[in-house]
Amino acid sequence: MDSPEFDMVVVGAGLSGIAAAKFYLDIHPQCRLVVLERDEHVGGAFNSNTQWPVEAAAFSDLPMTRPPPEHTYYDFFKAKYTTQYLESYIDHHKYASQALREKIRFGFEVEDISKKDLIWTISGKDKKSEAKVVISATKVIVASGLASTPLLPNLPFKERFQVDIQRVTVLGGGKSAGDMVYTLVKAGKSVTWVIRTPGSGPGFFLPAKGKGPYKNAFAMGSTRLAATLTPSFLNPDNWWTKFLHSSSYGRKILSSVWGGVDKEIRDEANFEGRVATRGFEKLAPHSPIFWQNQTGGLLNRPDFWDIIAQNAQIYEDEILELDKGFIRLKGGEVIPTDAILCGTGWTPSLDFFKEDLLAELGLPHMLKSSPTGEQEKWARLQKEADQKVLTHFPQLGNPPDHYQAPIQSTPYRLYKGIAPLSFDSIAFVGHVLIGSYFRAAECQAIWATAYLDKQLAMPSLEERQAEVALSTAWCRRRYLSRGERGNWMVFELISYTDNLLEEVGLSSHRKGWFRDLFVPCVASDLRGLKDEYVRKYSNNATERGNVSSLP
């Protein structure tokens, strides 16, 4: 049985895994590192179906070639260019004459990760040969992410279903479901769109067009001024944020701003004003965009709403059963269907950890797996943190009526969304749902490297526990049902990444107060961070660390 020894194992070659491996090798070019990737390509879930604005669609050290104009829309472009970029990226970077691509072991299915003493053991198989493989390492970065394992609905009697594709039903209420419906209609298919109820309902589709000096909506939302418009402990604690979120006048301003965004989105779609739309009005989001209790995305097709309204039949219901050539809904409707596409989301890819280790690592696990004392401790911390959230952000105490999914597991309890509270040789990147994965991936990679090298002066265990509880309590108040898992930060991209870099002690990404506030954050802002990091920590014993291990 193959049992090579490595200094570092990275699980996953999506954006986060690539960024983590690359930065760790930048700091440790001679280390024995391997990236384990289940698929035969890089990019993870973002290799084929995600659209990015050009200036945010790259890592800081290698600009992306701009796609042709006919393939862009307000600077957003087709996802195939992201795939091409990532493929070139892993060939571009070399360490000891070996390309980053050569560090990736494709077609490796991780089945189990465990720890004994100071060694992590990663067990899995080669998907082609089915050969079992055991790998050991002193450090691990888990970059399997939030979008590796599809979250599929229960489809009773699916064995009866047969496929001869002309009539297609799409399940799900978010951006991916909407894109599938649009694409199928354009391909000439008869399309039905079913959004589950009870549930959080259809998602928001934000117009891509920018305003004023901002070329698109992503640029508008990527300024530090825009970041202060959401109530968050990640924002600077200064007179401006206190005015916005702690004064009645400031909250009125915010209510007006967010209300205007919400109205613009609904007016663009004209949910209620269309004639003979086959259920189109059911696509109106159930709660305001401020709360983000549903998924969403940018509207990057100019005829999206017209195509959907005129051609797709829309239901809010639940599937009762499947049979040969049809779907029966609980409401009694029978839908002739040859194929079903599921845009029903993802579940975190963490099934290679046993339940007891999930609990020890602070990862989502069944509530019953936690000892009673542990549950009581977190309940107390959560209660204290919740009071602090409501004191700082009173508006979060008055949410709208909304769907609340049943709580079946504990939330993520990782410090900074990356580090377990009781292990200092493993880190998790890509497990925070946030606005731009490129920027988040790069900043998480830097923080994780500093953490694993023990370069960070970590707070005490009690302080870290309190911060984790505060983050979880805030997330639940801020994002309602979506926030129950404790890792939903849709509007916190800039403040979160700034917070990570500040803790590492880096500042070269800042532009001066005026540009910091009003100029969008782009990939090139981060290009000086590696050199700054090397200068800052070059005199430290990086390989063995300079801070004592965690308690």
Side-chain angles (χ1 to χ4, degrees), residues 463-536:
E463 290 172 319
R464 281 179 280 127
Q465 288 175 339
E467 181 170 326
V468 167
L470 181 64
S471 177
T472 303
W474 166 81
C475 199
R476 286 171 167 171
R477 288 284 185 179
R478 177 66 184 86
Y479 292 115
L480 308 180
S481 183
R482 293 284 173 180
E484 285 292 343
R485 198 173 271 165
N487 65 335
W488 193 268
M489 297 185 187
V490 176
F491 295 127
E492 281 70 37
L493 168 66
I494 305 304
S495 54
Y496 174 67
T497 52
D498 277 354
N499 188 271
L500 292 179
L501 297 177
E502 181 179 353
E503 184 154 304
V504 182
L506 305 181
S507 60
S508 60
H509 60 295
R510 304 305 291 258
K511 310 172 184 180
W513 75 268
F514 183 84
R515 290 174 58 80
D516 264 355
L517 284 176
F518 299 106
V519 175
C521 296
V522 296
S524 58
D525 295 344
L526 308 181
R527 61 190 168 197
L529 291 174
K530 185 190 80 171
D531 290 342
E532 184 184 6
Y533 185 101
V534 170
R535 290 193 301 271
K536 183 175 182 65

Side-chain angles (χ1 to χ4, degrees), residues 8 27 32 38 78 85 94 99 163 187 211 218 263 313 324 326 332 362 371 406 425-426 468 524:
M8 168 64 74
I27 306 306
R32 298 166 300 165
R38 179 178 60 189
K78 293 187 175 183
Y85 171 80
K94 292 181 171 59
V163 176
K211 295 180 180 179
F218 189 89
K263 183 177 185 302
Q313 179 66 56
K324 183 178 180 180
F326 71 82
S425 58
I426 187 170
V468 167
S524 58

Side-chain angles (χ1 to χ4, degrees), residues 131-327:
K132 294 291 184 179
V133 181
V134 177
I135 293 172
S136 59
T138 53
K139 296 177 183 178
V140 175
I141 293 178
V142 179
S144 53
L146 300 170
S148 297
T149 305
L151 180 61
L152 297 177
N154 179 38
L155 300 173
F157 304 108
K158 61 185 177 183
E159 66 278 1
R160 301 175 184 172
F161 203 68
Q162 295 182 355
V163 176
D164 179 17
I165 303 174
Q166 292 300 323
R167 303 162 301 180
V168 184
T169 296
V170 175
L171 309 182
K175 176 70 163 59
S176 59
D179 285 343
M180 286 190 281
V181 172
Y182 177 91
T183 302
L184 288 164
V185 168
K186 297 286 278 189
K189 305 299 181 182
S190 174
V191 184
T192 301
W193 188 353
V194 178
I195 300 171
R196 181 176 62 88
T197 184
S200 57
F204 271 99
F205 292 81
L206 186 67
K209 184 179 179 180
K211 295 180 180 179
Y214 304 107
K215 65 181 69 175
N216 55 49
F218 189 89
M220 292 171 60
S222 297
T223 67
R224 290 184 173 85
L225 179 62
T228 65
L229 301 180
T230 182
S232 172
F233 289 104
L234 294 170
N235 282 325
D237 185 17
N238 54 33
W239 70 269
W240 172 244
T241 55
K242 288 178 180 177
F243 165 72
L244 283 179
H245 303 292
S246 299
S247 73
S248 59
Y249 191 69
R251 292 196 296 273
K252 287 180 181 178
I253 293 175
L254 288 177
S255 178
S256 177
V257 170
W258 283 103
V261 174
D262 192 275
K263 183 177 185 302
E264 180 182 356
I265 291 171
R266 295 174 190 270
D267 288 349
E268 175 90 6
N270 192 18
F271 293 115
E272 304 292 340
R274 297 174 185 261
V275 179
T277 56
R278 309 173 69 194
F280 181 74
E281 70 282 354
K282 294 181 175 66
L283 293 179
H286 293 179
S287 56
I289 189 173
F290 170 84
W291 297 95
Q292 275 290 301
N293 197 42
Q294 57 279 309
T295 60
L298 286 166
L299 192 63
N300 41 32
R301 295 176 174 89
D303 59 346
F304 179 85
W305 290 126
D306 291 337
I307 291 293
I308 299 298
Q310 295 166 17
N311 297 279
Q313 179 66 56
I314 298 152
Y315 295 98
E316 275 197 287
D317 206 337
E318 191 168 359
I319 291 178
L320 179 65
E321 64 178 5
L322 307 184
D323 210 328
K324 183 178 180 180
F326 71 82
I327 294 172

Side-chain angles (χ1 to χ4, degrees), residues 324-434:
K324 183 178 180 180
F326 71 82
I327 294 172
R328 190 186 306 279
L329 302 180
K330 282 193 172 181
E333 193 73 32
V334 176
I335 305 171
T337 302
D338 304 317
I340 297 172
L341 297 182
C342 297
T344 48
W346 307 84
T347 186
S349 182
L350 297 168
D351 53 357
F352 35 70
F353 291 110
K354 292 183 172 60
E355 190 73 7
D356 58 343
L357 188 52
L358 286 172
E360 288 185 71
L361 289 167
L363 301 173
H365 59 279
M366 300 303 293
L367 292 168
K368 63 182 181 182
S369 300
S370 296
T372 302
E374 191 74 3
Q375 293 182 39
E376 292 175 349
K377 177 190 73 177
W378 283 108
R380 174 181 54 80
L381 289 170
Q382 193 78 23
K383 184 177 180 180
E384 294 171 358
D386 193 56
Q387 288 299 314
K388 186 174 181 179
V389 171
L390 295 179
T391 298
H392 280 74
F393 307 117
Q395 66 271 45
L396 298 186
N398 298 292
D401 292 337
H402 64 279
Y403 170 75
Q404 189 74 30
I407 300 174
Q408 300 178 336
S409 66
T410 63
Y412 277 89
R413 289 176 177 143
L414 299 173
Y415 181 66
K416 303 298 182 185
I418 300 174
L421 295 172
S422 54
F423 292 81
D424 60 2
S425 58
I426 187 170
F428 295 81
V429 295
H431 284 263
V432 172
L433 199 149
I434 205 159

